[in-house]
Amino acid sequence: MSLPSFLGRRAVHSIFVLWGLSVVIFVISRIMPGDPARMAVGARAPQWVVDDLREQMHLDEPLITQYYYWLRDALQGDFGISLVTRRPVADDVKEFFPATLELALFAGLIMGAGGILLGTFSARHKDQWADNVVRVISYLGVVTPAFVFAILFLLLFGMTLEWMPTMGRLSPTISRPPTVTGFMTIDTLLAGDVNAFFDSLWHLILPALALAMGGLAQEARITRSTMSDNLSKDYIASGRSLGIPENVMMSSFLRKPSLIPTISILGLDFAATMGNAFLVEMIFIWPGLSRYGINAMLRKDLNAIAAVILVLGIVFIVVNIIVDIVVARLDPRIRLAPGRGE
């Protein structure tokens, strides 16, 4: 199947996935305990104010009617007004999503590069002391939650050694550049402010590293496992018998097929960091979408909850499509879809 046909089919499937996700999230958010109108106006507000807000939000109508109004507005990019920020939810998403995406991209870079390097190093020294050290570190990384790493990094590098900044995306003494992309590192470069660029990069290191530790360990374990299995394959033995140097065998013949499972898991881990980053964002006072989404859930901000989860669903879909394309390019034997007769 050609790439355009594959993308077209995945786009059609994605529409149904997002529609199903919207139904599930809408129903769950409506049946959660608590009155969102009362929570929005406060406990001391008169009942007529609550009733008026309920009418504006269509909460006094049947559930299917509420969904119809919500879906009609959502398809036009209108997710309603946030009961917490008192702003359009679409504006909130535009403001907070780039911060979380930037953090997740840096975490994904650390996960991918660090995991592949550690896994390759471990497989090359299989059953030696270096392999055992990497395996122990990987196990610790997998079982330790990201917020534990965030607290440790904050206490050690931020407060004890005072090497790294501990909150926000920029230091208070540096002026914020004009918002173009929402990525602080890119916007500072576009503004020509090199000092602000390095400062924003410096602020990214600790939260991105804390967020990446679990995925890094997972990618290292998978890379080591697949490389160790492929080392016993016949084509590796044939290459060694022909006198091909070990470095060439590792880089040219072994690494590429061994990366397919790693890339697949890396894509899922990256997408998961978008939704799992809320504790790290709270610890480092990072103004991201995950933190915004958790605050919306705690205050039963229905419009914000639905919008955040839909955005995260779109991220998962896009990442899965990209992973399928990358894996197909890594191994020509893997096709984007089964052909005739398969």
Side-chain angles (χ1 to χ4, degrees), residues 123-143:
R124 189 168 185 177
H125 300 85
K126 184 179 179 181
D127 297 329
Q128 300 179 16
W129 68 269
D131 179 30
N132 294 330
V133 170
V134 173
R135 291 170 69 184
V136 170
I137 294 174
S138 299
Y139 289 135
L140 290 176
V142 169
V143 302

Side-chain angles (χ1 to χ4, degrees), residues 82-97:
S82 170
L83 302 180
V84 177
T85 63
R86 307 292 182 179
R87 300 192 309 169
V89 173
D91 293 344
D92 288 340
V93 171
K94 291 177 184 177
E95 178 180 347
F96 297 123
F97 177 70

Side-chain angles (χ1 to χ4, degrees), residues 13-236:
H13 294 164
S14 300
I15 292 175
F16 288 99
V17 171
L18 289 176
W19 174 74
L21 179 63
S22 70
V23 172
V24 172
I25 297 306
F26 185 86
V27 172
I28 292 177
S29 64
R30 259 51 181 187
I31 64 177
M32 289 172 58
D35 186 352
R38 170 59 69 181
M39 296 175 67
V41 299
R44 297 184 178 181
Q47 186 61 38
W48 68 268
V49 176
V50 179
D51 294 338
D52 184 59
L53 182 57
R54 287 179 57 84
E55 184 178 354
Q56 293 179 25
M57 298 175 64
H58 304 287
L59 295 176
D60 57 341
E61 301 187 39
L63 196 62
I64 189 171
T65 305
Q66 296 179 41
Y67 178 73
Y68 164 76
Y69 284 116
W70 178 85
L71 182 62
R72 181 196 63 184
D73 295 337
L75 291 176
Q76 300 174 5
D78 181 9
F79 291 96
I81 302 297
S82 170
L83 302 180
V84 177
T85 63
R86 307 292 182 179
R87 300 192 309 169
V89 173
D91 293 344
D92 288 340
V93 171
K94 291 177 184 177
E95 178 180 347
F96 297 123
F97 177 70
T100 295
L101 182 58
E102 183 179 37
L103 180 60
L105 286 173
F106 272 80
L109 182 62
I110 296 173
M111 283 190 292
I116 291 173
L117 289 176
L118 282 178
T120 303
F121 176 79
S122 181
R124 189 168 185 177
H125 300 85
K126 184 179 179 181
D127 297 329
Q128 300 179 16
W129 68 269
D131 179 30
N132 294 330
V133 170
V134 173
R135 291 170 69 184
V136 170
I137 294 174
S138 299
Y139 289 135
L140 290 176
V142 169
V143 302
T144 306
F147 73 89
V148 175
F149 286 113
I151 294 173
L152 290 176
F153 294 161
L154 180 70
L155 294 176
L156 178 60
F157 299 108
M159 296 183 176
T160 303
L161 299 176
E162 298 183 354
W163 289 352
M164 311 289 290
T166 58
M167 63 179 64
R169 305 178 72 188
L170 277 178
S171 298
T173 56
I174 295 182
S175 300
R176 184 184 179 94
T179 301
V180 179
T181 64
F183 285 28
M184 193 62 68
T185 50
I186 297 179
D187 287 347
T188 51
L189 286 177
L190 293 176
D193 193 338
V194 178
N195 291 331
F197 166 74
F198 283 107
D199 185 77
S200 64
L201 194 61
W202 204 237
H203 278 75
L204 265 171
I205 293 177
L206 284 187
L209 187 60
L211 197 58
M213 290 300 293
L216 186 151
Q218 182 86 323
E219 270 65 79
R221 292 183 61 211
I222 294 174
T223 303
R224 180 212 178 261
S225 177
T226 52
M227 279 196 166
S228 297
D229 291 342
N230 288 333
L231 278 172
S232 60
K233 296 295 179 64
D234 292 339
Y235 74 93
I236 297 296

